[in-house]
């Protein structure tokens, strides 16, 4: 992968190289040199052609420099992959968006609503509710209700669990929903449940299915749920920002928890990947479901995924009850796996370790940003990335 700015390619793609250079310098100065982030990797492309690729900072606490082929815990950037896998099954006629979740996960048949755990849902939970987070499920990290407190106590948010996927569902089915499906939006373990749906419908575990049906066709050779021994040297440390403002190591790359083979593959947050690999995944989405002769999804399906699917055409500001998510709320919709701007049409998502991607299907822009700092809400870097990319456009494709 190139390192730096390809000025000639930027001009040819209708982008201002000086503004891209200024964006890179600002990110380096404000976040890496200042010590706010341990490291960063940014890959920005237009028409699938990389224009800006920068790698800065230390990969590990011992000061080892970040490598261009570094591996990262992408956390909730796993969700779009799981959503693509599910939509592939929809196209095969094996399941549908309006299929009741209980058709595949009968353990949810007696789930109730509310902290009293008595009322039945006003309507069944459907597969579309899992894709767009209107299921009534939650995350323990929301820290708002006695229900999410039970999630924390049971460890239902954890990427690596000792439970099997069946045991995960069994535990989850003992807890009530926060609200009846479709009534509100709440960032949650919905995509973990969707991953279990994919496993049960196909009879395959997520690692095997992702490798054979998504990663191999797309040439994503460095993306998996498990860190292989021969790739361990490329795994970064992950840090956590304490309330005091001190940054501490949360997971060491050399002996990362991702090196262990887990019993449960988290479709909501378990993958590791590289900037180059996730760029290939994003290129497939930008190309409406196809890359290098391998078609994963139809154009119509990808269009539906990046179209607002919230009930009544609402935005997150009007429908959300979540304290935490990986997106802003005002003027932001949610499709089948990621959020999108209701005005510009760009779609995106991120992970709790501050990783991020965005795609502008009109301007043909892709941005992949990798770092490893908990929580992802620490700094406003995501908005700065999208704004910096948009401001560098000299020749717009809009209207």
């Amino acid at each position: 992968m190139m390192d730096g700015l390809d000025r000639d390619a930027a001009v040819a793609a209708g982008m201002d190289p000086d503004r891209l250079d200024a964006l890179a310098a600002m990110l380096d100065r404000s976040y890496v040199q200042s010590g706010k982030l341990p490291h960063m990797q940014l890959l920005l492309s237009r028409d699938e052609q990389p224009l800006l690729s920068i790698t800065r900072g230390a990969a590990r606490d011992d000061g080892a420099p970040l490598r261009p082929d570094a591996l990262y815990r992408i956390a909730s950037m796993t969700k779009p992959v799981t959503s693509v896998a599910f939509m592939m099954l929809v196209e095969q006629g094996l399941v549908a968006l309006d299929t009741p979740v209980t058709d595949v996960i009968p353990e949810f048949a007696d789930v109730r609503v509310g902290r009293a755990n008595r009322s039945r849902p006003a309507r069944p939970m459907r597969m579309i509710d899992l894709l767009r987070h209107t299921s009534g499920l939650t995350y323990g990290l929301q820290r708002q209700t006695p229900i999410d407190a039970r999630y924390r106590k049971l460890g239902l948010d954890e990427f690596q669990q000792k439970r099997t996927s069946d045991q995960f569902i069994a535990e989850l089915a003992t807890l009530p929903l926060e609200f009846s499906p479709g009534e509100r939006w709440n960032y949650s373990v919905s995509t973990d449940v969707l991953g279990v749906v994919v496993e049960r419908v196909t009879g395959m575990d997520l690692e095997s299915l992702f490798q054979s049906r998504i990663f191999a066709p797309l040439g994503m050779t460095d993306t998996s749920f498990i860190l292989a021994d021969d790739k361990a040297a490329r795994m970064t440390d992950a840090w956590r920002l304490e309330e005091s403002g001190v940054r501490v190591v949360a997971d060491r790359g050399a002996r990362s928890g991702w090196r262990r083979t887990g019993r449960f593959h988290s479709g909501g947050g378990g993958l590791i990947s590289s900037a180059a690999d996730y760029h290939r995944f994003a290129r497939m989405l930008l190309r409406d479901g196809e890359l290098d002769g391998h078609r994963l999804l139809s154009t119509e399906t990808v269009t539906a995924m990046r179209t607002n699917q919230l009930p009544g055409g609402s935005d997150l500001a009007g429908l959300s009850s979540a304290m935490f998510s990986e997106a802003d709320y005002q003027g932001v919709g949610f499709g089948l796996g990621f959020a999108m701007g209701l005005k510009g049409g760009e779609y995106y998502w991120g992970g709790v370790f501050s990783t991020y991607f965005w795609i502008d299907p009109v301007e043909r822009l892709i941005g992949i940003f990798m770092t490893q700092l908990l929580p992802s809400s620490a700094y406003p870097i995501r908005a700065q990335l999208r704004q910096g990319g948009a401001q560098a456009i000299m020749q717009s494709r809009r209207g």
Side-chain angles (χ1 to χ4, degrees):
M1 186 189 299
M2 60 169 277
D3 186 74
L5 171 66
D6 188 330
R7 299 184 68 88
D8 291 340
V11 172
M15 302 286 284
D16 185 335
D18 291 334
R19 290 197 172 187
L20 291 176
D21 199 32
L23 173 63
M26 182 277 293
L27 293 171
D28 189 15
R29 180 180 64 254
S30 299
Y31 290 103
V32 179
Q33 293 182 32
S34 71
K36 290 181 177 178
L37 293 178
H39 56 247
M40 69 169 184
Q41 189 171 2
L42 172 63
L43 174 58
L44 184 68
S45 70
R46 194 176 200 190
D47 296 324
E48 305 176 60
Q49 174 68 39
L51 309 177
L52 178 64
S53 179
I54 55 173
T55 304
R56 301 286 187 272
R60 294 185 174 179
D61 201 38
D62 62 8
L66 186 68
R67 297 167 46 157
D69 64 351
L71 298 176
Y72 307 87
R73 307 149 191 83
I74 63 170
S76 289
M77 279 168 60
T78 304
K79 289 179 170 69
V81 179
T82 303
S83 300
V84 164
F86 177 83
M87 295 307 295
M88 291 170 73
L89 303 184
V90 171
E91 289 196 349
Q92 294 170 41
L94 298 176
V95 67
L97 291 175
D98 61 356
T99 298
V101 174
T102 52
D103 281 12
V104 180
I105 301 182
E107 293 95 324
F108 282 2
D110 293 323
V111 166
R112 301 294 198 267
V113 177
R115 61 189 67 178
N117 202 11
R118 293 176 182 172
S119 303
R120 287 190 171 276
R123 72 154 173 81
M125 185 192 303
R126 301 189 180 106
M127 297 299 176
I128 191 172
D129 293 312
L130 297 177
L131 285 152
R132 66 186 184 185
H133 295 282
T134 55
S135 63
L137 297 166
T138 191
Y139 265 137
L141 53 78
Q142 296 292 359
R143 297 183 178 273
Q144 296 187 93
T145 70
I147 298 173
D148 63 46
R150 285 289 294 161
Y151 276 60
R152 289 195 300 279
K153 185 174 181 180
L154 293 171
L156 293 172
D157 295 6
E158 296 170 6
F159 300 140
Q160 277 96 27
Q161 300 193 20
K162 294 181 179 179
R163 302 176 178 92
T164 64
S165 54
D166 287 348
Q167 290 168 339
F168 169 78
I169 292 295
E171 291 270 26
L172 193 58
T174 67
L175 303 178
L177 302 176
E178 293 279 10
F179 51 84
S180 286
E183 287 184 355
R184 283 184 272 157
W185 186 90
N186 190 50
Y187 194 41
S188 70
V189 299
S190 287
T191 318
D192 286 293
V193 176
L194 191 70
V196 178
V197 168
V198 170
E199 289 187 331
R200 292 189 180 184
V201 169
T202 62
M204 300 174 67
D205 65 86
L206 281 189
E207 174 74 14
S208 300
L209 185 138
F210 284 2
Q211 292 294 343
S212 64
R213 301 189 185 181
I214 298 177
F215 302 152
L218 296 184
M220 296 172 64
T221 57
D222 289 325
T223 307
S224 67
F225 285 101
I226 303 154
L227 176 63
D229 288 344
D230 62 355
K231 296 180 179 180
R234 297 163 55 191
M235 186 70 158
T236 61
D237 286 352
W239 284 262
R240 180 178 63 252
L241 188 65
E242 304 278 69
E243 290 186 8
S244 64
V246 175
R247 202 178 67 215
V248 299
V249 176
D251 183 63
R252 293 196 181 275
R255 53 178 187 269
S256 172
W258 274 257
R259 295 189 73 170
R260 296 188 293 271
T261 301
R263 303 177 71 195
F264 174 71
H265 297 310
S266 169
L271 287 174
I272 58 173
S273 190
S274 65
D277 263 22
Y278 213 88
H279 186 246
R280 293 190 65 80
F281 180 73
R283 286 176 60 201
M284 178 275 294
L285 292 171
L286 181 67
R287 294 169 62 93
D288 292 330
E290 176 272 336
L291 182 67
D292 294 344
H294 298 281
R295 178 161 291 282
L296 271 61
L297 295 169
S298 69
T299 297
E300 293 76 16
T301 293
V302 175
T303 299
M305 293 182 74
R306 59 181 171 84
T307 299
N308 186 25
Q309 300 286 345
L310 294 179
S314 181
D315 66 358
L316 295 183
L319 206 63
S320 175
S321 61
M323 181 173 290
F324 168 83
S325 86
E326 299 293 346
D328 297 325
Y329 290 172
Q330 195 70 43
V332 176
F334 205 89
L336 304 176
F338 23 66
M340 75 284 304
L342 295 181
K343 289 185 179 179
E346 71 282 359
Y347 54 105
Y348 51 88
W349 204 242
V352 75
F353 291 101
S354 300
T355 60
Y356 187 62
F357 83 99
W358 77 100
I359 300 171
D360 187 326
V362 178
E363 298 291 4
R364 309 287 293 171
L365 282 176
I366 295 173
I368 310 292
F369 182 79
M370 297 292 196
T371 189
Q372 297 282 262
L373 180 72
L374 288 159
S376 57
S377 57
Y379 306 115
I381 192 166
R382 293 172 174 178
Q384 293 171 325
L385 286 164
R386 290 209 316 273
Q387 183 180 43
Q391 289 177 341
I393 296 173
M394 293 190 299
Q395 297 172 8
S396 177
R397 313 278 172 79
R398 298 185 189 277

